[in-house]
Amino acid sequence: LPPAFFDGGKRGVALLLVTCPCFSVALVAICMLWFPYAALKVAVRVARWQRVVPGRDLLGPLLVATTLVWSALFKHNPLPSRRLESYTGRWLHAVFSLAFYFVGVRSPRNLDPTAGAITPPGCGVVHTETVADGVHVLTRCYRDGLGSVNACVVIRHADYLLIYNPIRCSPEVYRKFRDPAAFRVVVVLGN
């Protein structure tokens, strides 16, 4: 179970037990939206002779259904308190943790025995493209759960180095863009 389950001591555990029926209602509503949507996505993939990817074809619809149900029951509903939403969210976190664990969205940090550095998960290939002089775009794909591609822009100009929306990769990838004349490094975390 996630550590958030045990925050608040005995009172927190009691609140978790009280919010279990509310979470059960939310989970039933999520499943009522998720099962038909996921079954339709899988059927369309099979009919087109395409490979079914659990992260994209099963977890993607699960996240859509969860967002719709959660916003209808808690976010845009003035009746439930924020504490009820918080403790029901802990139940949701526990269920999603198990779902992501079994589908394969685990992100353990593995120690590289040769370098001794921590390597983040992902496909491991960082593509570098030079757009203009001093402007580089780094892309990296993550094939774990949802199969997303992240992009980072690295700009070298005058005495600074700007890294916009950094991706998870080894520090050596960013070190090759350093310049002895760059006195400032600015890292911008994009939305």
Side-chain angles (χ1 to χ4, degrees):
L1 290 176
F5 256 57
F6 307 106
D7 289 348
K10 294 178 183 176
R11 182 172 184 238
V13 173
L15 285 171
L16 277 170
L17 294 176
V18 169
T19 56
C20 185
C22 185
F23 171 71
S24 300
V25 169
L27 188 63
V28 166
I30 289 170
C31 289
M32 286 175 57
L33 288 176
W34 175 48
F35 287 151
Y37 184 39
L40 181 66
K41 274 193 87 147
V42 168
V44 166
R45 298 295 260 170
V46 169
R48 291 182 178 174
W49 293 95
Q50 295 174 341
R51 189 172 68 114
V52 175
V53 179
R56 179 190 58 217
D57 299 325
L58 297 176
L59 285 183
L62 176 63
L63 295 177
V64 170
T66 303
T67 303
L68 289 173
V69 168
W70 215 257
S71 63
L73 289 180
F74 298 108
K75 287 295 181 190
H76 301 294
N77 189 353
L79 296 177
S81 66
R82 294 296 162 225
R83 179 173 286 173
L84 176 68
E85 178 185 359
S86 170
Y87 279 92
T88 310
R90 292 177 189 197
W91 281 108
L92 185 71
H93 174 68
V95 170
F96 270 25
S97 296
L98 290 173
F100 289 155
Y101 179 81
F102 286 114
V103 170
V105 186
R106 300 179 295 262
S107 60
R109 294 179 166 219
N110 301 320
L111 286 177
D112 185 9
T114 59
I118 295 176
T119 57
C123 67
V125 179
V126 177
H127 299 283
T128 305
E129 180 183 348
T130 303
V131 178
D133 187 33
V135 179
H136 308 278
V137 177
L138 307 174
T139 56
R140 181 174 184 181
C141 62
Y142 293 94
R143 302 205 187 277
D144 286 341
L146 299 177
S148 63
V149 176
N150 293 0
C152 168
V153 179
V154 178
I155 301 172
R156 257 191 327 208
H157 182 70
D159 66 339
Y160 66 88
L161 178 69
L162 175 77
I163 301 172
Y164 181 78
N165 197 22
I167 58 175
R168 292 176 64 186
C169 60
S170 67
E172 285 76 25
V173 173
Y174 291 111
R175 284 190 185 123
K176 69 181 179 181
F177 296 110
R178 71 178 165 191
D179 189 5
F183 293 108
R184 294 178 285 177
V185 176
V186 181
V187 178
V188 180
L189 299 176
N191 283 342

